[in-house]
Every structure is written in structure tokens, then in C-alpha cells.
Amino acid sequence: MTGGEARPGVVGLVLAAGSGRRMGGPKALARTPSGELLLDRAVRTVRAGGCAQVVVALGAGADEARAQAQTLAEPGTTVVDVPDHGTGMAASLRSGLGAAEGLDPDAVLITLVDLPDVTPDVVTRVIGEGPHDDVLRRAVYDGRPGHPVLLGRVHVTPFVESLSGDEGGRRYLVGAGCEGVPCADLATGQDVDTPEELGRAR
């Protein structure tokens, strides 16, 4: 993995709580063709991209993830449980951002567990030179907004207040004028929902 230097002011947040019905089980427990847990890959990616501290939001399969994932026991990793993860992504965001705020960051970099071709270089590019506490940026792939999303500290509370069900924070990001960071030269940014899609991911 490539990437950039650790940015002490940036906390990474990996959302990994979903049940993964189409995947046949929690995506946190799915493995790449090489045998790497998607969860371990996501944590290593945000860490290598510049996040010295990482929060992981777990829900479905949390006990198994704790037992299998190598990265969850590493220094600088905080695990938070999302008991109401079945209600949608908003629950994971609320729990994860609450834990991340407790680490007093300038910004939180949010990503998903099911983005196997997103690289540390994508994370580094989205973080940019700052970050400042009012930064609001996200990766864009051929004009399609995606993850990671970089949320400055001043945006966290209004972002959380805008959350509803499985919609996530899309409305807030659009309304607040989120800056798009072109990343299609580095990755597709496509999430994987089935074992077949995971097997084809680069």
C-alpha cells in the first residue's frame, strides 16, 4: 500500500455494521480473493492514507469480527457497537461520529467497509494539505460522488442532525457545498454487494 504521512488531526471512521444480505453475511467478515478481510483492508487503507486513529463501527457479526480481524486490536483503533444498525446507515454514522468526536479531531474521514479498490492514495488525496476544522470534501469518480468523505469538526453536529434512516448524509453534503475531489484515476470507488462483485473487484 502507498499513501501519505499520518495526520494527527484526522480520525478515520470505517462503517462496517451492515448485515450484508446480498453478500450472504456481514460485509465486515467477507474476504477478498486473496483472503484478506474487507474490514482489515478498510482499516489498513485509511491508516496508510493518513489517519493515525481509526474508529470502526460494528453491528452484524461484531463478535466474529473482533475474533477474526487483525486490525481491531492494533493501537489507535477504537471499536464502537451499533445495536440499532438494522435501521440504516444513519445509526452507524451517529455511533461512529460520536466515538470519533471523543478523540477531538479536526476532521473525520468517513469510508465504507465494502470499497475494496479504494486505495490509501485516494484517502491521502481527499485529506489534502489541511485539514481545517471547516473542511467538507468527498471523493468523486467520473462525476459520481462517493467515499471517502472528509467532515470538518464544525460540520459534525449539523451533519448528524440531518441523518435519517439509510439515506446517510447526502442531503447535508449537497446543501453545504461539499467539494468534490476527482479520484477516478486511482479507483472506481464502487461498493461490492455480492460475492461475485467482490471476486471481480480489482
Side-chain angles (χ1 to χ4, degrees), residues 98-118:
E101 273 197 299
L103 300 173
D104 195 29
D106 293 324
V108 181
L109 181 117
I110 305 167
T111 194
L112 310 179
V113 72
D114 59 354
L115 304 174
D117 84 335
V118 168

Side-chain angles (χ1 to χ4, degrees), residues 14 107 122 147 166 195:
V14 176
V122 174
H147 288 81
D166 203 37

Side-chain angles (χ1 to χ4, degrees), residues 1-201:
M1 286 188 171
T2 55
E5 296 181 359
R7 306 292 180 84
V10 185
V11 171
L13 171 57
V14 176
L15 303 180
S19 60
R21 286 183 292 273
R22 293 177 61 195
M23 186 64 74
K27 291 182 181 179
L29 301 176
R31 292 183 180 271
T32 68
S34 67
E36 184 180 25
L37 275 180
L38 281 183
L39 178 55
D40 279 333
R41 181 172 182 80
V43 173
R44 289 171 181 145
T45 295
V46 297
R47 194 181 298 284
C51 300
Q53 299 185 85
V54 182
V55 173
V56 179
L58 292 179
D63 290 341
E64 294 89 341
R66 284 183 168 89
Q68 295 183 38
Q70 300 173 359
T71 54
L72 299 188
E74 293 176 352
T77 303
T78 300
V79 179
V80 58
D81 288 307
V82 187
D84 55 344
H85 63 88
T87 62
M89 187 184 294
S92 296
L93 283 165
R94 289 190 190 97
S95 296
L97 286 170
E101 273 197 299
L103 300 173
D104 195 29
D106 293 324
V108 181
L109 181 117
I110 305 167
T111 194
L112 310 179
V113 72
D114 59 354
L115 304 174
D117 84 335
V118 168
T119 64
D121 288 334
V122 174
V123 173
T124 300
R125 184 177 292 180
V126 171
I127 292 174
E129 295 298 322
H132 306 292
D133 62 6
D134 62 348
V135 68
L136 194 61
R137 314 178 84 205
R138 74 181 308 170
V140 175
Y141 304 93
D142 288 328
R144 177 180 56 83
H147 288 81
V149 173
L150 187 66
L151 197 66
R153 181 170 54 199
V154 301
H155 292 284
V156 171
T157 296
F159 179 86
V160 169
E161 290 174 347
S162 77
L163 297 174
S164 175
D166 203 37
E167 184 178 341
R170 184 182 302 109
R171 283 183 300 169
Y172 180 83
L173 296 175
V174 172
C178 184
E179 175 190 357
V181 181
C183 293
D185 60 314
L186 300 175
T188 68
Q190 291 284 352
D191 61 337
V192 292
D193 290 323
T194 67
E196 292 75 21
E197 290 175 355
L198 179 56
R200 292 194 299 267

